[in-house]
Amino acid sequence: MGPSTSTGGDIPPPPPPAESPAEPAAAAPAPTPLRVTGSPALKDDIAIKSIEVQGNTLVARVMHSGGCKPHTYELLWDGTFQGSAAGGAQAELVLAHDANEDRCEALLNRTASFDLTPLQQRWREQGKGEHGTVELRFAGSQTTTRYAF
């Protein structure tokens, strides 16, 4: 007997699975740019647990309620520098949280990162030089940090 052959009606075997390339290590999402706006305002409740500046990136660890819908964060600034009590420059920022009407009550801890380059660009546009240090203050919070560039 020779090899058997198929005659119509048989279902061909599925193709072999395509080999997928090795998954790269999960990279942190790109920081969201600081947004300059004439009227920065707080949105939904948020508590800032910690703030850290890493190069030109601000990393905020925050806490808020939710758990049923995606939440978004924006870092807003009116584009002005004020003088600080110590004589340096300061900028008041708003960490705006949009809960997208999430009424769930789980306590969420999240990390958001923001690109501070627009603040540095505004500094240069105002003729303050290439480098500077600005105290960052956050509306609705006692949290402050310094941004040196």
Side-chain angles (χ1 to χ4, degrees), residues 112-131:
S113 60
F114 304 96
D115 180 0
L116 295 173
T117 304
L119 191 143
Q120 188 180 124
Q121 290 169 339
R122 180 64 59 103
W123 181 269
R124 290 178 179 144
E125 287 168 4
Q126 292 182 3
K128 298 181 182 293
E130 280 298 305
H131 304 284

Side-chain angles (χ1 to χ4, degrees), residues 26-111:
T32 304
L34 167 72
R35 187 164 66 92
V36 179
T37 177
S39 55
L42 293 169
K43 293 182 182 179
D44 296 318
D45 288 344
I46 189 167
I48 298 173
K49 294 176 66 175
S50 69
I51 294 285
E52 181 181 359
V53 175
Q54 300 171 352
N56 289 326
T57 302
L58 179 105
V59 178
R61 288 175 184 77
V62 299
M63 184 172 59
H64 54 76
S65 64
C68 296
K69 294 184 180 182
H71 293 236
T72 58
Y73 312 95
E74 282 188 290
L75 189 61
L76 309 172
W77 177 47
D78 68 3
T80 64
F81 296 101
Q82 299 90 26
S84 71
Q90 71 179 9
E92 181 152 337
L93 308 177
V94 173
L95 181 52
H97 163 230
D98 185 350
N100 290 305
E101 299 183 17
D102 186 348
R103 301 288 179 235
C104 291
E105 297 181 5
L107 193 56
L108 305 177
N109 290 291
R110 298 288 188 257
T111 300

